[in-house]
Amino acid sequence: MIAVLQRVRQARVEVAGQVIGAIDQGLLVLVCAEPADTGVQADKLIAKLLKLRIFGDAAGKMNLSVQDVGGGLLIVSQFTLAADTSGGNRPGFSAAAGPEQGRRLYDTVVKLARERHPRVATGEFGADMQVFLQNDGPVTIPIRI
């Protein structure tokens, strides 16, 4: 499973001009399932992102997690994270899980996040989404589980 975490001051997702998910301070989490992924990877991803210490403490050091600061999670499916750009100018996406498996694993990630964290918003799997964010730092961290 591939994810990109962005520490944000605020973020939102729109579909057809309508806001479908929004958070204030927290993490925008872009998620891509790969063919070998299962619920085990989804569980590890949620455990990691909830504990990752990337928010500043009183001294300005990255010592606090999204849980510590009471931040939100905005989880957005993003199959393009599996892009292969090694051959030519058009990326290939065969390394991403197929739509059915991708949706199932995305739903698992969201379900686990909601079970473990009080503030979870989402995008819409497979939709043409516009994502707006105010990156804080900027802090952007790629994760592969």
Side-chain angles (χ1 to χ4, degrees):
M1 191 165 282
I2 305 167
V4 172
L5 311 180
Q6 293 182 296
R7 187 178 75 183
V8 299
R9 292 194 178 182
Q10 60 185 350
R12 74 179 188 277
V13 177
E14 295 181 3
V15 173
Q18 300 295 314
V19 175
I20 63 165
I23 61 170
D24 290 320
Q25 179 186 35
L27 295 175
L28 170 61
V29 184
L30 305 174
V31 179
C32 175
E34 297 174 287
D37 290 341
T38 67
V40 170
Q41 284 77 25
D43 184 67
K44 286 181 180 180
L45 175 64
I46 295 302
K48 174 66 98 177
L49 69 91
L50 289 176
K51 301 274 187 226
L52 198 62
R53 297 183 316 164
I54 60 173
F55 289 86
D57 62 13
K61 293 189 177 192
M62 285 197 269
N63 279 326
L64 301 175
S65 70
V66 70
Q67 290 181 316
D68 294 332
V69 299
L73 300 175
L74 178 55
I75 303 173
V76 178
S77 61
Q78 181 86 39
F79 79 93
T80 61
L81 293 178
D84 177 4
T85 59
S86 63
N89 294 319
R90 184 173 183 206
F93 301 105
S94 60
E100 183 178 306
Q101 180 188 16
R103 179 183 299 273
R104 187 174 65 253
L105 287 168
Y106 173 73
D107 289 346
T108 299
V109 167
V110 170
K111 177 181 177 279
L112 292 170
R114 287 185 168 145
E115 288 172 357
R116 299 174 190 174
H117 194 73
R119 292 183 189 92
V120 178
T122 67
E124 180 181 326
F125 186 89
D128 181 16
M129 296 176 277
Q130 284 65 56
V131 180
F132 301 86
L133 69 139
Q134 183 180 11
N135 197 316
D136 183 16
V139 174
T140 301
I141 299 178
I143 294 177
R144 183 169 230 133
I145 301 281

